[in-house]
Amino acid sequence: MERFVLTVKCLTENLLQRKLTDYDEVIEKLFSEVSGLEDFPKIPDPQLEECAIQLWNWAVTKNVGTSICKNQKAKVRHVACSLLYCCEPENPTEGVIRKQILMASKTGRTWLDCKNPQMADNFLRFAVKSLETLYGQLTSRGDGADDITSSKGDVEKDLLRILSCQAESALSQGNNHEAVVYVQRCKDMLLRLPKDTAYLSLMCYNFGIDTYNLRKFEDSAFWLSQSYEIGKMNVKYAPGSEVQAKVLRLLATVYLEWDCQGFQEKALNAVSLANKECVSASGLYLKIRILLRCGAADDHIRAGLNEMLESKVYLEVCLSTVKLLMSEDREVLAFEYLKRVCQHFESSPDLGTALVLHIELLLQRGKELLGKQKIEDIITGHYTGKQLTPQALTRLHVMLWDKASKHFEAKNYAEALQWYNYSLSFFKAGQMEPNSAKLQRNRASCFLQLKQLEKAKEAIKEAERCDPDSIFTQFSVYKIAVHENNVEKAAEAVNAMGLLSKSRVASEDGLLVSENAASNLLSLAAQIALENEQQETAMKALETLCENSKDEAQVLTALRCLVRLVLSTVEKSSDEMRNGNLDVVLPYLKMALQKLSQQSCMTVEQRTEESNWFRKIAWNSALQCEKSPDRMRDFFVLSFQLSQLCPPDRTLLMGQKTCLLMAAAASLEICRKSLHSVQTEELTQALEHIQICWEVWKTLKASGSSPMDPTDTLLLLYEFEARAKLNDPKVETVLESVLELENVETKVLETIAALAMEPPAHFPLLCKKALRVALSLHKKQPQADLARCSKCVHSLIKLSLPSGVSEVEAHVLEEVWDYYEEALSIIAAAPDDFPEMETLWLLTRAWNTGILLYSLAQYPEAEKWCGLAMSFIRHLGSLQESYETQMSGLYSEILDRLDKAKKNLIMEE
């Protein structure tokens, strides 16, 4: 036990000295230590008693404010009280016992406040036991009779409080019988403690409320009856007639909800007693409720209604009673009573509330004619000094508009207009307020449906005067413009709606009050235009919606509609007009891409569906742009970007590959057609498409591809062209990649050669390399294509030995000589099939080279080349004879000159 005492003392000191506001940890440790004790063992240690007093006083000082919560307070008191009982001496003094009573009762009360009745019970029992001990001590004394009597009275008062707490605890644990026993003991004590009558009565009333809320009607009726009976035991100290009436009214309500038919008499007796105790509007109203629920005769109910009027209750209560009568199908009584109420409160400024209710009830019962008569009477009164209160007038307006709205929905437009006109009767001429504008807009809608266009325009003119900055006003202006087929006016109204949509839209007769109200109006505007076959106006409304709406799904729907409208026009257009219309589609698709990219509210399935729809539109549009490569490129790029928003599969990847190839091809085509020497931006863009396409193609090849697929070749061709025109040194690497292809075609190499020299590209070495490989491949064919072979040789000679040069290097001559030998071998293989003009070109170029060398005094080389030229004469066909005659003489002359030149050269040496 020494350890226990030291621990408690240490924790107490920590708690008392703690500066922080978080005491929970120390309190929990103290509570845990004390809760471990069994039956409060006797520990006669003064230190423990001191700790108990210190802890108790500390909890009292923390009682104000929110330093500690109720539960913490209960635990500290629990610890203090437990420690005090542990320190109890063998023969406790009166002072010690009184401390025990105080601490135990208050600890029990605190646990009850914390909704922990089980914990409370222990301390309440300790309190009762200590009280019995104290009472025994007082009784054993013989002297000081007055003091003893006074002390016994205090003991009994404390006992009553503790017994009431035990009753509360028992009831909260569902032990109603046990609670009754405790309360009965308290009642028995009231003869000696009359001043506690009100306390006990109110406690029973609270028990009645608790059990009523739990729908335990039998228990509730018992406790409420007890409350009333206790209050009658001593009138002087009773709670008062108002409280007693309150108790009886709740008792009547319990009987009413429990079983009205079975407890009809009890319910009526209770409410009648309540009204005798203290008449009140709620009591009189409750009586009518009970009578109606019990199915009482009209005369009995009339008596209750008369009692209500005689008691001078407020008009509001009377009107609530009228509504109650209507809800219980006592229509005749309701209207009869309402008539009497109107007469009774004729001079009241609130009479209008009753009149408006009368109209409401008539309309609810379908008695529109009578309702209209009453409305017209109120309108007459409005202009003869009998105005309704603002609240009543607002209520009437709501009713009139609701009625008009229902007729409008039912397409009874003339009837709807009449109800709106009733409302208009209460507005002063020229009155400026939003409701007036709203009313005029509703009237204009009716006039439009009734084909009364001029009257509709007058109503909207008035609405514009009252509230020009309302989107609903501009919508009404728009509707009239559409009906008049005034495209310009409709466009102005749509623009105004677009500007106004940026601010929050107020509600309009309970319609369109969502955040997308403005967008919904613009969508409706487009629908109206289409119904009136005004496509241009409809598109303007949809475009404005797309520009201003924050609802991505709504914007996508509008974009779909816009695309369909444009494409429907494309189908009927000429080629020139078709291109212009496709230009209109492009920004719609770009906006769709933007919205889908940032869309977070859609499911994956919805987003995929939307993306695929716009992707297909972009694809099909691209296919219609054969004569416009820039437009084709843009559509294919959009189709690819939209496809990226869909879950990938092989079909989609194939589509992406095609889009990128076509986009790159279109960019290159733009460059070919361009008047500028270089279009760097287009070429760079083409390269970007090609690089992305390579990645897509790698993914496709990984899942298997056809060996005949030309994608590798096309990508390399496009990349070679783009890099060549950008003068990119990586172009050589691209050619190497082409040469590494399996079964590379000669046509591809010939194309590469052409691209290498196509301005602004200039890569003669790469061109020759491609041509040499192409020529080699041609020769390997079982049957060589002589025309293409000769073309390769021709190009190689032309590249190596351009015309117009003034000197030639030896290594170049060697290279070109090889090409000529190649040409001769080709001719020799099929002399009859080699093109005659090509032979002539070879002959001429060789002869001119020989003459050039002669002029440069390179006589041996000159003789060699001229001899080469002469060797081609025999391969000429029809031209052989004429060229042989002509060139033989020239060749002889050249040889003579060469001999003389050689001799002169020897003599000079």
Side-chain angles (χ1 to χ4, degrees):
M1 282 300 169
E2 286 182 12
R3 187 199 63 79
F4 172 76
V5 174
L6 285 171
T7 303
V8 169
K9 185 179 178 183
C10 182
L11 290 171
T12 302
E13 288 172 356
N14 287 345
L15 189 63
L16 297 178
Q17 294 172 9
R18 200 170 181 85
K19 303 279 185 180
L20 301 174
T21 55
D22 185 12
Y23 308 103
D24 194 51
E25 186 180 350
V26 180
I27 291 172
E28 284 299 325
K29 285 181 179 178
L30 272 169
F31 184 70
S32 177
E33 285 290 334
V34 173
S35 298
L37 297 174
E38 293 184 8
D39 299 327
F40 297 155
K42 299 302 178 186
I43 311 173
D45 192 320
Q47 293 182 73
L48 273 188
E49 185 175 355
E50 186 182 350
C51 287
I53 302 301
Q54 286 176 332
L55 288 169
W56 186 266
N57 291 339
W58 182 85
V60 171
T61 62
K62 299 296 178 186
N63 203 24
V64 180
T66 56
S67 297
I68 58 174
C69 65
K70 276 185 181 180
N71 207 47
Q72 289 173 325
K73 179 182 170 184
K75 287 180 178 179
V76 174
R77 286 189 164 180
H78 180 114
V79 170
C81 188
S82 300
L83 291 175
L84 187 70
Y85 273 96
C86 285
C87 300
E88 182 184 27
E90 196 168 328
N91 296 306
T93 63
E94 183 179 334
V96 170
I97 296 171
R98 287 191 183 276
K99 279 182 191 175
Q100 291 175 341
I101 295 166
L102 173 69
M103 287 190 181
S105 60
K106 286 191 176 293
T107 302
R109 178 69 260 173
T110 309
W111 277 123
L112 273 180
D113 293 339
C114 293
K115 311 296 182 189
N116 194 334
Q118 293 89 350
M119 200 69 84
D121 285 344
N122 293 328
F123 290 94
L124 293 174
R125 280 194 294 272
F126 285 129
V128 172
K129 186 178 178 183
S130 295
L131 275 171
E132 289 171 350
T133 303
L134 179 59
Y135 193 81
Q137 282 189 6
L138 293 172
T139 305
S140 64
R141 292 182 194 167
D143 53 345
D146 292 338
D147 291 341
I148 291 170
T149 302
S150 174
S151 296
K152 284 182 177 179
D154 292 339
V155 170
E156 286 196 325
K157 188 177 287 188
D158 288 339
L159 181 60
L160 186 139
R161 288 290 190 276
I162 293 166
L163 288 171
S164 67
C165 287
Q166 288 181 308
E168 182 181 341
S169 177
L171 194 68
S172 67
Q173 294 177 74
N175 299 325
N176 194 69
H177 177 71
E178 191 176 329
V180 171
V181 172
Y182 286 127
V183 171
Q184 187 58 49
R185 286 185 64 185
C186 291
K187 278 177 70 177
D188 295 341
M189 295 169 70
L190 281 181
L191 295 174
R192 299 185 297 278
L193 301 168
K195 290 181 181 179
D196 284 320
T197 301
Y199 166 78
L200 196 60
S201 175
L202 288 173
M203 186 186 75
C204 290
Y205 174 61
N206 289 332
F207 287 175
I209 293 173
D210 292 341
T211 47
Y212 170 74
N213 290 334
L214 294 170
R215 318 308 288 167
K216 294 181 177 181
F217 295 122
E218 185 175 1
D219 293 343
S220 180
F222 169 80
W223 290 115
L224 292 169
S225 298
Q226 287 292 304
S227 176
Y228 179 66
E229 287 175 14
I230 290 168
K232 299 296 282 182
M233 286 174 66
N234 194 315
V235 178
K236 181 180 177 181
Y237 297 108
S241 58
E242 287 186 13
V243 176
Q244 288 288 73
K246 196 175 181 181
V247 172
L248 288 166
R249 284 197 298 273
L250 182 55
L251 179 60
T253 303
V254 169
Y255 286 133
L256 174 68
E257 295 183 19
W258 185 7
D259 182 1
C260 191
Q261 295 298 327
F263 299 104
Q264 177 180 343
E265 290 301 321
K266 287 186 176 182
L268 284 171
N269 286 339
V271 76
S272 298
L273 275 174
N275 291 335
K276 283 179 185 177
E277 285 280 351
C278 182
V279 69
S280 67
S282 56
L284 295 169
Y285 182 81
L286 179 59
K287 184 175 181 180
I288 301 298
R289 273 186 67 200
I290 294 168
L291 288 169
L292 286 169
R293 187 71 66 83
C294 295
D298 286 357
D299 288 342
H300 290 142
I301 296 170
R302 279 194 188 94
L305 296 172
N306 291 337
E307 188 180 358
M308 187 176 283
L309 282 178
E310 289 165 5
S311 299
K312 298 180 180 180
V313 297
Y314 292 118
L315 173 61
E316 186 181 349
V317 177
C318 294
L319 297 183
S320 295
T321 307
V322 170
K323 293 174 186 176
L324 178 64
L325 291 166
M326 291 295 288
S327 68
E328 295 289 339
D329 294 327
R330 299 294 182 106
E331 186 178 320
V332 175
L333 267 180
F335 281 113
E336 178 188 303
Y337 183 58
L338 183 54
K339 185 178 180 181
R340 289 184 61 201
V341 168
C342 290
Q343 292 170 350
H344 187 80
F345 289 94
E346 190 173 7
S347 58
S348 169
D350 294 323
L351 174 64
T353 309
L355 297 174
V356 171
L357 178 63
H358 197 168
I359 293 167
E360 183 181 355
L361 295 177
L362 287 170
L363 295 181
Q364 283 178 359
R365 288 297 187 270
K367 300 178 180 180
E368 283 198 7
L369 191 57
L370 285 173
K372 287 180 179 180
Q373 289 175 359
K374 290 289 181 185
I375 292 165
E376 288 163 7
D377 290 343
I378 290 176
I379 292 170
T380 303
H382 185 75
Y383 290 99
T384 56
K386 295 181 179 178
Q387 285 92 354
L388 299 178
T389 62
Q391 295 83 357
L393 185 57
T394 300
R395 175 81 181 138
L396 180 59
H397 278 306
V398 170
M399 198 188 310
L400 295 172
W401 287 25
D402 180 63
K403 198 70 184 172
S405 176
K406 286 175 180 174
H407 278 296
F408 192 91
E409 288 173 11
K411 299 184 179 180
N412 299 325
Y413 303 117
E415 193 69 22
L417 182 61
Q418 185 178 7
W419 288 98
Y420 282 130
N421 284 339
Y422 280 142
S423 180
L424 184 63
S425 301
F426 293 97
F427 287 91
K428 294 177 184 176
Q431 188 172 347
M432 296 281 289
E433 65 161 285
N435 281 335
S436 177
K438 199 181 292 187
L439 178 59
Q440 293 292 2
R441 290 195 292 269
N442 292 338
R443 292 179 71 244
S445 296
C446 294
F447 284 129
L448 279 175
Q449 294 295 339
L450 293 168
K451 310 298 182 187
Q452 298 177 22
L453 197 57
E454 289 305 314
K455 288 186 177 180
K457 288 167 74 174
E458 287 175 17
I460 286 305
K461 189 176 180 181
E462 186 63 22
E464 281 191 282
R465 187 185 65 80
C466 296
D467 191 10
D469 294 331
S470 165
I471 193 170
F472 294 103
T473 299
Q474 293 304 323
F475 179 65
S476 298
V477 171
Y478 169 85
K479 286 195 292 184
I480 292 171
V482 170
H483 277 83
E484 289 184 316
N485 202 18
N486 188 336
V487 176
E488 186 177 346
K489 185 73 174 175
E492 288 176 6
V494 166
N495 286 334
M497 289 168 70
L499 290 172
L500 292 167
S501 70
K502 298 181 190 302
S503 55
R504 186 171 176 81
V505 178
S507 63
E508 178 85 345
D509 304 344
L511 302 174
L512 299 167
V513 292
S514 69
E515 290 182 5
N516 299 328
S519 302
N520 292 339
L521 272 181
L522 287 165
S523 179
L524 186 57
Q527 183 181 333
I528 291 168
L530 289 173
E531 287 171 356
N532 286 271
E533 299 181 353
Q534 295 179 29
Q535 182 169 319
E536 183 183 341
T537 302
M539 289 179 67
K540 177 67 178 173
L542 290 169
E543 285 171 355
T544 305
L545 186 156
C546 293
E547 290 166 10
N548 296 283
S549 177
K550 294 179 181 177
D551 184 337
E552 284 87 355
Q554 194 173 42
V555 171
L556 289 170
T557 302
L559 288 170
R560 274 199 184 207
C561 189
L562 281 166
V563 169
R564 287 194 186 101
L565 288 172
V566 174
L567 293 181
S568 67
T569 308
V570 168
E571 292 171 4
K572 305 169 188 174
S573 304
S574 62
D575 288 347
E576 188 175 342
M577 289 290 291
R578 179 180 291 117
N579 290 335
N581 286 325
L582 287 173
D583 279 340
V584 176
V585 172
L586 198 58
Y588 299 154
L589 295 177
K590 286 181 178 178
M591 185 179 285
L593 173 64
Q594 178 195 352
K595 296 296 180 184
L596 285 164
S597 298
Q598 65 192 33
Q599 175 60 255
S600 57
C601 301
M602 279 186 172
T603 63
V604 174
E605 291 76 14
Q606 289 171 330
R607 182 172 163 176
T608 302
E609 183 187 350
E610 291 288 348
S611 300
N612 267 325
W613 192 89
F614 287 105
R615 176 182 65 81
K616 290 172 184 175
I617 293 294
W619 174 278
N620 292 331
S621 300
L623 297 179
Q624 297 182 57
C625 299
E626 293 177 3
K627 297 178 182 179
S628 178
D630 55 340
R631 194 180 293 113
M632 177 187 283
R633 174 205 60 206
D634 291 343
F635 278 120
F636 273 127
V637 170
L638 273 171
S639 183
F640 166 71
Q641 290 170 331
L642 285 160
S643 71
Q644 287 182 298
L645 303 174
C646 306
D649 57 30
R650 186 169 179 80
T651 304
L652 192 74
L653 289 171
M654 290 292 287
Q656 287 182 348
K657 183 199 74 172
T658 306
C659 283
L660 291 164
L661 280 170
M662 296 299 285
S667 290
L668 293 170
E669 181 65 21
I670 293 167
C671 294
R672 293 186 202 114
K673 291 184 176 181
S674 173
L675 297 175
H676 305 294
S677 57
V678 181
Q679 285 222 337
T680 306
E681 188 177 344
E682 283 290 346
L683 292 169
T684 305
Q685 197 174 61
L687 273 178
E688 288 175 4
H689 297 149
I690 291 163
Q691 293 308 314
I692 299 169
C693 194
W694 275 121
E695 296 303 317
V696 173
W697 180 229
K698 283 177 186 174
T699 305
L700 278 168
K701 284 203 290 187
S703 61
S705 62
S706 167
M708 301 300 291
D709 194 301
T711 302
D712 284 308
T713 303
L714 286 172
L715 283 170
L716 288 167
L717 276 172
Y718 292 160
E719 186 174 354
F720 185 90
E721 181 176 359
R723 292 193 186 279
K725 287 178 178 173
L726 284 169
N727 199 26
D728 186 340
K730 291 182 180 177
V731 69
E732 190 171 350
T733 308
V734 179
L735 176 57
E736 293 301 324
S737 298
V738 172
L739 297 176
E740 289 170 6
L741 289 174
E742 288 184 22
N743 304 320
V744 62
E745 295 181 13
T746 54
K747 188 176 180 181
V748 172
L749 293 166
E750 289 164 2
T751 304
I752 288 281
L755 291 172
M757 297 302 291
E758 185 178 278
H762 186 74
F763 291 92
L765 293 177
L766 296 182
C767 178
K768 288 197 288 183
K769 186 174 184 178
L771 288 171
R772 283 196 294 271
V773 176
L775 181 60
S776 173
L777 290 173
H778 276 305
K779 289 167 66 179
K780 290 177 182 177
Q781 297 297 322
Q783 188 169 357
D785 186 332
L786 294 181
R788 290 175 69 182
C789 285
S790 69
K791 191 175 179 181
C792 286
V793 171
H794 181 112
S795 298
L796 285 165
I797 293 170
K798 191 174 180 180
L799 282 166
S800 303
L801 193 64
S803 59
V805 295
S806 58
E807 59 180 338
V808 185
E809 294 178 5
H811 72 88
V812 173
L813 287 173
E814 289 178 13
E815 182 184 344
V816 175
W817 186 269
D818 290 340
Y819 297 148
Y820 266 94
E821 287 184 339
E822 192 73 58
L824 285 169
S825 68
I826 293 169
I827 294 169
D832 297 333
D833 295 331
F834 198 84
E836 186 178 27
M837 292 310 294
E838 188 62 29
T839 305
L840 182 60
W841 182 86
L842 289 166
L843 180 153
T844 305
R845 181 57 68 94
W847 180 265
N848 290 342
T849 303
I851 298 301
L852 172 64
L853 292 167
Y854 175 80
S855 68
L856 296 172
Q858 296 180 21
Y859 303 122
E861 289 296 322
E863 183 182 354
K864 180 180 175 182
W865 279 94
C866 286
L868 176 64
M870 293 302 293
S871 67
F872 279 95
I873 291 175
R874 70 176 182 274
H875 297 298
L876 290 173
S878 60
L879 299 173
Q880 181 179 350
E881 187 176 344
S882 63
Y883 269 89
E884 188 173 21
T885 303
Q886 182 181 349
M887 291 190 68
S888 294
L890 287 171
Y891 185 54
S892 297
E893 186 179 337
I894 290 293
L895 288 175
D896 289 341
R897 288 182 182 179
L898 283 170
D899 286 340
K900 289 178 183 178
K902 288 176 185 177
K903 288 175 183 177
N904 290 336
L905 187 63
I906 293 167
M907 288 172 68
E908 287 174 4
E909 290 176 354

